Amino acid sequence: VPGADPAKVAASKLFDEGVAASRAGDHDTAIARFTEAAKASPDCSDCYYNLGVSQLQKKDEKQAEASWMKVLELKPDNATAMNALATLYNNQKRFDEAAAMSTKASAASGGTGGSADATFNQGIILWNQGKIAEAKVKFEDAVKADPNMADAHYQLGMALLNEGKMPEAVSSFEAYLKLAPTGQFATQAKTMVAQLKK
């Protein structure tokens, strides 16, 4: 591109290398590339977002949180970073912060609950607060918003199981396994299906 900012061109190349390394599961290289890309182009919010994702893969939650906060400094209405932070806070049992961030994400994505991720996060937060019936509604909404969101099918299955709705729970677990045969909940889902179908 004639007249393109050479720093941006360099950042873009580093960014692409970071994405490739991340896909290959080489998170150390990915972190190095995204960090260099962000240095070359300090307003690259995507660089910081991806950096956070790679840091989380390395279980470095503190750094991931810092990277995603940096995204929000650059783009205060970035719902993707807010959802990532909501999930992180949730996993750290910082439920109040998770709920607040999830609400912000929902507002940023147009208040419609918009993205399946935002809705799913709200469901997880309610689930952790013991509000199973309300959580189930969110998981149903997330599945409607994105039928290919495997984890939403799994959590919906857990909520249905909690209500004693076995056949529906089996359907949800089977939907999860179809979408994510080697997903993080695959073993549990297979066990549930086997037990429930007895």
Side-chain angles (χ1 to χ4, degrees):
V1 189
D5 179 346
K8 289 255 192 310
V9 174
S12 173
K13 184 172 177 291
L14 288 162
F15 181 84
D16 292 342
E17 286 171 11
V19 170
S22 171
R23 287 206 179 115
D26 180 356
H27 300 301
D28 290 323
T29 302
I31 288 168
R33 294 292 176 276
F34 290 134
T35 304
E36 288 170 43
K39 273 191 195 131
S41 178
D43 59 352
C44 171
S45 61
D46 288 345
C47 298
Y48 287 105
Y49 177 76
N50 282 289
L51 178 58
V53 173
S54 293
Q55 286 162 332
L56 191 62
Q57 292 293 331
K58 297 274 297 174
K59 305 272 184 280
D60 193 345
E61 293 182 353
K62 216 174 173 54
Q63 287 297 324
E65 181 181 353
S67 294
W68 290 331
M69 288 307 238
K70 184 75 185 162
V71 175
L72 295 180
E73 270 176 46
L74 295 164
K75 285 198 169 165
D77 58 352
N78 186 308
T80 315
M82 289 177 203
N83 281 319
L85 283 162
T87 306
L88 179 67
Y89 293 153
N90 209 23
N91 293 339
Q92 294 176 336
K93 307 208 178 334
R94 292 157 67 182
F95 297 136
D96 293 343
E97 288 170 86
M101 193 57 81
S102 183
T103 305
K104 269 172 75 172
S106 181
S109 54
T112 47
S115 81
D117 281 340
T119 311
F120 176 72
N121 278 332
Q122 286 166 336
I124 292 286
I125 290 158
L126 289 162
W127 179 272
N128 287 332
Q129 290 169 336
K131 298 175 181 168
I132 308 301
E134 292 168 55
K136 181 184 155 214
V137 174
K138 294 290 183 191
F139 296 141
E140 285 171 340
D141 288 347
V143 166
K144 273 186 211 132
D146 179 2
N148 296 320
M149 187 182 210
D151 287 3
H153 285 282
Y154 177 79
Q155 293 295 348
L156 179 57
M158 292 301 286
L160 288 161
L161 191 61
N162 199 63
E163 290 179 354
K165 295 182 174 158
M166 304 308 168
E168 292 95 330
V170 168
S171 300
S172 286
F173 292 136
E174 285 177 334
Y176 172 82
L177 287 167
K178 204 190 258 171
L179 290 164
T182 58
Q184 57 174 338
F185 302 119
T187 314
Q188 292 101 304
K190 279 182 196 140
T191 310
M192 300 283 190
V193 170
Q195 285 175 348
L196 296 170
K197 280 191 153 175
K198 274 184 185 163

